[in-house]
Amino acid sequence: MSEVLVQRGYVPAGTGQMHYRFAGQSGAPVLLLIHQAPSSSVMFEAMMASLAEDYYVLAPDLPGFGQSDSLTISNTIADWADALKGFCQEITGAQTLAGVFGHHTGAAVATEMLYRHPQIADSLMLSGPTLLNQILKNILPEKARAFPASADGLHLLGMWQRMQGKDTQAELSLILRETLLGLGMGERYPDAYAAVIDHDFQRAISAITQPVLMFAGSADPLYSVLDDAFSCVQQGVVTRIPNTTSWVCDRQPDVVCGLIRRFLSRSRPADSAGGKEEWSCES
């Protein structure tokens, strides 16, 4: 099998442009992948190369991230959800997406997107759902504070240590990539985390009627809210990936892609638990 090429492009987005990656054949069912902060669509390259065998995969940089221009309006989860609705219309027209997958910040945006635009996709898939409890809301602002540039360069070390602390076993190339993306946010670094704190995830996820796949790695900071988040889902599947951090899409793309394929190809559960089930997952 020949190597799948992940390509890149831009589309108009308000007063600027949105950068995105894409892979697969344009006639195939469409998957939209939404990244976490402060990363970009680059975090999905390994997943895209795999999923492109069966789907046309789109992964935009959220406005203000990666190589996308910032919005000129406010930067809320709802603003980004609407921007991605426009992005999808630009690329696919009126075609309904097979699914929307979001990770961390992307999970909040994906959920709000289906809440605000229910006809846009047939399914929702969330890694690290953002139903934040008060403990997470209290600690997140400190963990997301910006590192202002300083002449001694300590802001470089500060961002490196923050990224390395997310997964001490991660490859240095991954830590470096995320460090540079974080530094590129500058003083805007905390904005996405503030947007997630302000977002009413429970309202949005509770209203969604499409089937939902929800999971988190056992070493992911959002693992602690997985069960509470899934209790809000009307129908879907929950699972847990052992010994995995918030960089699961980079470090275990085959596991995540396997879950996505299994979920999108499954028949509806026949149990009496309101169309909800739990899967075991081997990493």
Side-chain angles (χ1 to χ4, degrees):
M1 181 178 62
S2 60
E3 183 177 353
V4 174
L5 176 64
V6 177
Q7 302 180 73
R8 297 159 68 178
Y10 287 88
V11 296
T15 59
Q17 296 186 93
M18 188 175 294
H19 173 261
Y20 70 105
R21 286 172 165 84
F22 62 100
Q25 298 299 315
S26 59
V30 182
L31 290 183
L32 179 71
L33 311 181
I34 310 176
H35 64 83
Q36 67 178 332
S39 195
S40 74
S41 58
V42 69
M43 67 173 279
F44 291 127
E45 284 198 337
M47 286 178 53
M48 294 178 74
S50 173
L51 292 169
E53 298 172 13
D54 305 297
Y55 302 96
Y56 184 51
V57 191
L58 302 172
D61 294 351
L62 287 169
F65 292 81
Q67 297 181 55
S68 289
D69 294 325
S70 297
L71 297 175
T72 55
I73 57 176
S74 60
N75 287 285
T76 67
I77 298 301
D79 293 331
W80 291 329
D82 289 346
L84 292 193
K85 169 64 159 50
F87 165 81
C88 291
Q89 287 182 322
E90 185 73 25
I91 301 294
T92 68
Q95 181 179 355
T96 300
L97 309 180
V100 179
F101 173 84
H103 178 75
H104 279 225
T105 309
V109 177
T111 302
E112 185 69 14
M113 190 178 179
L114 266 70
Y115 172 72
R116 296 170 69 83
H117 309 287
Q119 304 306 315
I120 198 167
D122 290 332
S123 63
L124 176 65
M125 296 160 283
L126 306 177
S127 171
T130 53
L131 182 66
L132 304 184
N133 55 33
Q134 197 57 51
I135 294 174
L136 289 170
K137 288 182 178 182
N138 289 341
I139 66 175
L140 195 54
E142 172 59 24
K143 288 185 174 295
R145 65 182 177 87
F147 290 106
S150 59
D152 57 14
L154 288 178
H155 62 294
L156 306 175
L157 179 60
M159 188 65 73
W160 174 272
Q161 291 176 335
R162 172 179 292 173
M163 295 303 168
Q164 189 176 45
K166 291 186 176 185
D167 188 340
T168 57
Q169 302 303 311
E171 301 85 350
L172 293 181
S173 59
L174 173 55
I175 299 170
L176 177 60
R177 188 196 78 195
E178 293 298 300
T179 296
L180 294 175
L181 286 166
L183 290 169
M185 298 297 295
E187 294 295 327
R188 296 181 295 111
Y189 188 99
D191 292 353
Y193 300 90
V196 170
I197 290 173
D198 291 340
H199 178 237
D200 193 343
F201 179 87
Q202 184 172 1
R203 172 215 60 191
I205 194 65
S206 299
I208 289 171
T209 58
Q210 291 94 329
V212 178
L213 169 65
M214 188 177 288
F215 64 90
S218 61
D220 187 322
L222 294 176
Y223 182 81
S224 62
V225 299
L226 179 61
D227 288 331
D228 287 342
F230 189 66
S231 71
C232 301
V233 169
Q234 294 188 32
Q235 60 166 322
V237 173
V238 66
T239 189
R240 308 153 207 279
I241 304 179
N243 306 314
T244 304
T245 69
S246 59
W247 283 343
V248 62
C249 297
D250 280 291
R251 302 204 62 210
Q252 293 185 275
D254 291 344
V255 174
V256 178
C257 289
L259 287 173
I260 289 173
R261 283 196 173 91
R262 180 183 175 190
F263 178 70
L264 292 177
S265 65
R266 94 197 207 288
S267 59
R268 295 292 182 267
D271 60 75
S272 59
K276 298 170 74 169
E277 57 184 320
E278 181 164 357
W279 289 345
S280 60
C281 180
E282 296 182 2
S283 62

